């Protein structure tokens, strides 16, 4: 039974325990929800006003218009772009938070934070065309923060946001400008989506979708700035060996799970925990404090500091069922509300930290950057207290963990390539793409969903693509899947990579001092860090003198579910990248919207959505797309 729900081996140990304890998990609730509403699945249910809800009959013999007159195309388009707005809001709030922290640091107001990576800050400044000559680093930080915050404030509709302008190829920017979809102000674009989708406003599906694309590009802008400024504050990732899956939880340690998304919280918790290690030992924890990550906060601290990853999205509840997590500290996004109740079945302190993200039944520590050290201390103390209440008889830590070599961004990829060609680091990559040793590049991103057996589509597709010499990048819960299933190891490269890919990964890995190949899948970080993959792609495109839609590059979200994934998938298409979805998007109730996203987009943008639920077939289709692109380049 377990096999249909998840392919994570930890679940086989923990699901029976959850059952015995009467704890319902995400999979129990999924089952109880069947059959799910067919109108909702097609996207044709509208609840935008209180004359509704209205629903369009997909078979054509019932109502074809809502009470106000909106048809299926309008309803589907409105629903979709509201999802994009929500996704963009999540990422951009995260970005704003980080930008304000950089501003605070530049003003000397935030003792818990420093600029740990000055070189990165200088690179960011150069990218934003900020003059840094003769400037103190604080002044550079202030200027970067100012330019970034302008992306939330500008009222000049014709001027692109600073970050998107600094990030894309020239050709891409012009192409998007011609369609009037380049954001000038993240907040304004999100507000516009909410405004135009009110009852009785924009009812033209094409116009709505273009508004959604603009919202998705605002999302992209927010992600770029969140990632790059986080690197300046906390360090750009470099390759590091760590581990993943629930076996990283230690029986003799105070285990603190950091869960959510924003590194502003998790970084300080990690630092303070180190300082308080002795206190944990005094409380009886022989191994002191053990921090483990969940979801994208887990990815953030994993790629920067080698903190092990306990779980991706669908197994967050199982982390608690181990009975050995003493505190789960969460900030924003992808936190199942059920964790509070499950924590209460054990001794676990589930601690929310953000004013705008609380959970009934959880305790709350109001986390502020100004008081971050104090707040983190309170959190760690709470964990140590909870540890004292842990019942060792209820501890069940599955004996599963895999080694994972992680920490690849533009900087570390270029650094590794530079060991082969210091003058022109991208040349070896380009040569190997051109000669076919690397057939193409695939970025795996996005979530887990109960619509798919957890991690299975990621793993199946990756193995097939790697065998066909496709270079694999990953972020988010996709990266979590690969890490948990041992695909971020050198052994996986030896076992699964096609011969020519294996040779390239071995040449780079060996010359970069890894004593063997690079891992089969390169972990680029959290979902927000998808911008890293774009940076690599833009660098390659600029080097070749072509736009992004010419590259043999594809993206895939085989287990997508979040509104954030909808936003990311849409900007990926807008940047010219063929983008696979392995779960059914809720748009198929409109033939027009479906055609726009899967076909018309190809002419307008070069990128398009490709929906295929079968992972084997999906991988085959992506290989065809890659070959088509290669042909276009004449390679
Ligand atoms: Ni992305 Fe990260 Fe995971 Fe999906 Fe959620 S944690 S931001 S949304 S579920 S990948
Ligand atoms: Fe129905 Fe129109 Fe109201 Fe939507 S906006 S609920 S279609 S009346």
């Amino acid at each position: 039974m377990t096999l249909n729900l998840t392919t994570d081996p930890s679940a086989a140990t923990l699901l029976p325990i959850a059952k015995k304890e009467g704890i319902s998990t995400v999979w129990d609730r999924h089952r109880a929800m069947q059959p799910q509403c067919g109108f909702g699945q097609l996207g044709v249910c509208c609840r935008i006003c209180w004359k509704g809800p209205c629903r369009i009959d997909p078979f054509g013999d019932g109502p074809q218009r809502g009470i106000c007159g909106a048809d299926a195309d309008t309803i589907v388009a409105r629903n979709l772009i509201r999802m994009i707005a929500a996704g963009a809001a999540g990422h951009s709030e995260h970005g704003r938070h980080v930008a304000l922290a950089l501003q605070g640091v530049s003003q000397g107001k935030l003792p818990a934070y420093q600029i740990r990576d000055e070189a990165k800050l200088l690179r960011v400044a150069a990218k934003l065309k900020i003059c840094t000559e003769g400037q103190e680093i604080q002044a550079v930080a202030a200027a970067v923060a100012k330019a970034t915050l302008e992306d939330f404030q500008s009222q000049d509709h014709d001027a692109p946001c600073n970050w998107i302008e600094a990030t894309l190829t020239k050709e891409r920017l012009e192409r998007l400008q011609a369609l009037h979809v380049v954001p000038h102000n993240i907040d304004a674009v999100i507000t516009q989506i909410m405004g135009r989708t009110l009852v009785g406003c924009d009812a033209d599906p094409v116009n709505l979708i273009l508004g959604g694309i603009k919202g998705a590009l605002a999302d992209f802008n927010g992600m770029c700035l969140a990632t790059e400024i986080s690197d300046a504050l906390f360090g750009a990732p470099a390759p590091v060996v760590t581990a993943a899956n629930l076996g990283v939880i230690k029986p003799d340690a105070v285990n603190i799970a950091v869960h959510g998304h924003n590194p502003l919280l998790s970084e300080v918790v990690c630092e303070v925990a180190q300082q308080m290690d002795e206190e944990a030992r005094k409380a009886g924890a022989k191994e002191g404090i053990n921090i483990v990550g969940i979801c994208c906060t887990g990815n953030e601290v994993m790629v920067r500091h080698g903190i092990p990853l306990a779980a991706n999205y669908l197994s967050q509840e199982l982390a608690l069922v181990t009975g050995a997590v003493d505190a789960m500290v969460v900030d924003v996004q992808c936190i199942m509300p059920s964790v509070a109740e499950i924590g209460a079945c054990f001794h676990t302190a589930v601690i929310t930290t953000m004013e705008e993200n609380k959970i009934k039944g959880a305790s709350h520590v109001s986390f502020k950057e100004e008081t971050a050290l104090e707040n983190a201390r309170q959190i760690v103390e709470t964990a140590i207290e909870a540890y004292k209440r842990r019942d060792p008889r209820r501890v069940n830590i599955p004996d599963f963990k895999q080694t994972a070599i992680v920490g690849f961004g533009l900087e570390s990829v270029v650094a590794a390539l530079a060991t082969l060609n210091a003058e022109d680091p991208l040349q070896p990559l380009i040569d190997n793409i051109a000669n076919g040793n690397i057939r193409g590049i695939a970025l795996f991103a996005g979530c887990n969903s109960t619509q798919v057996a957890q991690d299975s589509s990621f793993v199946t597709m990756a193995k097939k693509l790697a065998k066909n010499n496709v270079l694999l990048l990953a972020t988010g819960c996709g990266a979590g899947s690969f890490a948990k299933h041992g695909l971020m190891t050198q052994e996986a490269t030896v076992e699964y990579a096609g011969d020519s890919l294996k040779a390239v990964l071995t040449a780079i890995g060996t010359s970069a001092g890894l004593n063997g190949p690079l891992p089969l899948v390169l972990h680029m970080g959290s979902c927000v860090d998808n911008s890293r993959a774009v940076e690599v792609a833009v660098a390659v495109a600029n080097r070749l003198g072509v736009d992004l839609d010419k590259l043999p590059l594809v993206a895939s979200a085989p287990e997508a579910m979040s509104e954030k994934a909808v936003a990311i998938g849409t900007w990926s298409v807008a940047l010219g990248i063929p983008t696979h979805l392995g779960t059914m998007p809720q748009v198929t109730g409109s033939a027009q919207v479906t055609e726009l996203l899967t076909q018309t987009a190809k002419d307008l943008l070069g990128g398009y959505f490709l929906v295929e639920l079968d992972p084997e077939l999906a991988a085959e289709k992506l290989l065809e797309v890659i070959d088509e692109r290669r042909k276009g380049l004449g390679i």
Side-chain angles (χ1 to χ4, degrees), residues 62-91:
Q64 294 303 299
R65 287 186 182 263
I67 295 167
C68 69
D71 63 9
D73 300 324
T74 300
I75 291 173
V76 167
R78 281 195 309 217
N79 286 343
L80 180 74
I81 78 169
R82 282 200 165 195
M83 293 188 91
I84 294 174
H91 287 139

Side-chain angles (χ1 to χ4, degrees), residues 65 79 102 117 138 183 194 249 329 336 338 365 388 438-439 458 462 536 544 546 567 614:
R65 287 186 182 263
N79 286 343
L102 182 70
D117 195 337
Q138 303 295 101
M194 297 313 286
I249 296 171
V329 48
M336 292 186 197
S338 59
V365 172
K388 294 180 189 162
I438 295 176
R439 183 155 159 192
F458 281 110
V536 174
L544 290 173
V546 299
D614 179 314

Side-chain angles (χ1 to χ4, degrees), residues 46-54 65-70 75 78 198-200:
C46 184
R47 293 190 304 103
I48 275 173
C49 88
W50 283 355
K51 298 195 299 306
C54 299
R65 287 186 182 263
I67 295 167
C68 69
I75 291 173
R78 281 195 309 217
L198 278 168
V199 54

Side-chain angles (χ1 to χ4, degrees), residues 287-301:
E287 295 204 66
I289 297 175
N290 180 39
I291 307 266
V292 299
I294 296 183
C295 288
C296 279
T297 263
N299 288 320
E300 297 264 352
V301 289

Side-chain angles (χ1 to χ4, degrees), residues 91 261 295-296 313 333-334 446-448 476-477 527 561-562 564:
H91 287 139
H261 282 79
C295 288
C296 279
Y313 178 74
Q333 303 167 16
C334 299
C447 327
N448 281 153
C477 288
C527 255
M561 61 93 197
S562 163
K564 292 181 288 170

